[in-house]
Amino acid sequence: MSPPARACRVTPDAIDPRELLESSVTPSDGAALLFWGVVRNEHGGRAVQSLEYEAYAEMAERKMQQIADEARERFGTGAIRIVHRVGLLAVGEASVGIAVAAPHRGEAYEASRYVIEELKRRVPVWKREGYVDGERHWVPGYTPTVEKGD
Amino acid sequence: MVVRSLFFASFRDLAGTGELAVELPAGARVADLVAHLRRPGSPLASIPERPAVAVNLEYAPLGTALADGDVVAFIPPVAGG
């Protein structure tokens, strides 16, 4: 048996949805959800061919773990695992997978939504879109709020 | 003191590098490093006056005091997910 993967990580490798989901479940859980974020074929009306993700991996993993811990505490879920992909992704490939296990479905849905929204606001990940006409540019995003004690 | 400055995404494109060692006077704060990088003629002159910055892996206000060996990451608007 290989040791269990870190709960929150950045990886250049394709995300395995089944492993991510099933590994989050323990005997006290009654439900598990997988959020699967995938590369779409258009943005703002332009045809997208590929998406290149970059991360400040060490900080991104730390922020994802903080968000998972917040969600577990706030909604009372079981395990939460977050995997974010980096590198060049094709349309249809998953950029992020979030598994949430919980005793009941309600808190799993709430926690899953919380994790993806917070991830988009403060995890240091960037993406550059490549269009079918060969142009590419960094996608505008959220400016993280910097608070005292954050 | 010397701090490691890290640049990502659009900021790295501007800097032409992902990392710079910057020498600062003792007592310098993040805002002093930002001002140094934004000086006229610098490749990073066009970064925002108040960029999001992380010191040693945590977001930090511009008034944060720096120490020798600190890692200061310049975080352009994030777009994960």
Side-chain angles (χ1 to χ4, degrees):
Chain A
M1 289 282 287
S2 52
R6 276 164 297 140
C8 296
R9 60 195 175 89
V10 169
T11 177
D13 303 321
I15 307 169
D16 178 347
R18 182 171 178 158
E19 190 277 332
L20 182 61
L21 185 64
E22 290 185 350
S23 66
S24 70
V25 177
T26 67
S28 58
D29 294 312
L33 286 179
L34 178 67
F35 176 87
W36 196 238
V38 296
V39 175
R40 191 175 46 222
N41 67 358
E42 67 87 32
H43 181 90
R46 289 182 80 177
V48 169
Q49 191 164 49
S50 65
L51 213 47
E52 187 186 345
Y53 280 89
E54 175 180 332
Y56 180 12
E58 198 181 356
M59 181 175 170
E61 290 183 345
R62 186 181 173 115
K63 288 284 139 198
M64 293 193 300
Q65 187 62 58
Q66 286 171 359
I67 292 167
D69 291 346
E70 285 166 19
R72 255 202 320 278
E73 183 157 328
R74 197 162 166 156
F75 302 104
T77 68
I80 296 181
R81 296 189 58 201
I82 310 172
V83 182
H84 205 300
R85 181 96 185 265
V86 288
L88 197 63
L89 275 69
V91 168
E93 280 193 276
S95 53
V96 63
I98 300 168
V100 180
H104 305 286
R105 65 188 178 281
E107 54 265 33
Y109 277 108
E110 284 185 294
S112 177
R113 184 67 191 261
Y114 178 84
V115 169
I116 184 62
E117 299 300 335
E118 290 301 312
L119 183 151
K120 284 175 172 286
R121 285 192 186 99
R122 50 183 155 125
V123 175
V125 173
W126 302 273
K127 60 187 162 204
R128 179 150 56 179
E129 286 178 339
Y131 306 104
V132 289
D133 59 15
E135 229 182 272
R136 50 185 207 160
H137 77 79
W138 294 104
V139 176
Y142 292 89
T143 299
T145 313
V146 178
E147 291 159 6
K148 282 200 174 103
D150 182 18
Chain B
M1 65 173 163
V2 176
V3 297
R4 276 178 72 197
S5 302
L6 305 183
F7 307 103
F8 296 93
S10 58
F11 290 173
R12 194 194 45 232
D13 290 349
L14 285 173
T17 179
E19 180 171 345
L20 279 178
V22 179
E23 185 149 13
L24 294 168
R29 294 174 187 275
V30 171
D32 300 314
L33 174 61
V34 173
H36 171 76
L37 295 172
R38 292 182 79 246
R39 70 194 184 280
S42 156
L44 289 159
S46 64
I47 65 168
E49 199 175 344
R50 304 181 60 81
V53 162
V55 177
N56 302 332
L57 304 175
E58 286 295 336
Y59 290 113
L62 295 178
T64 304
L66 293 172
D68 189 52
D70 277 351
V71 180
V72 184
F74 288 78
I75 313 279
V78 300

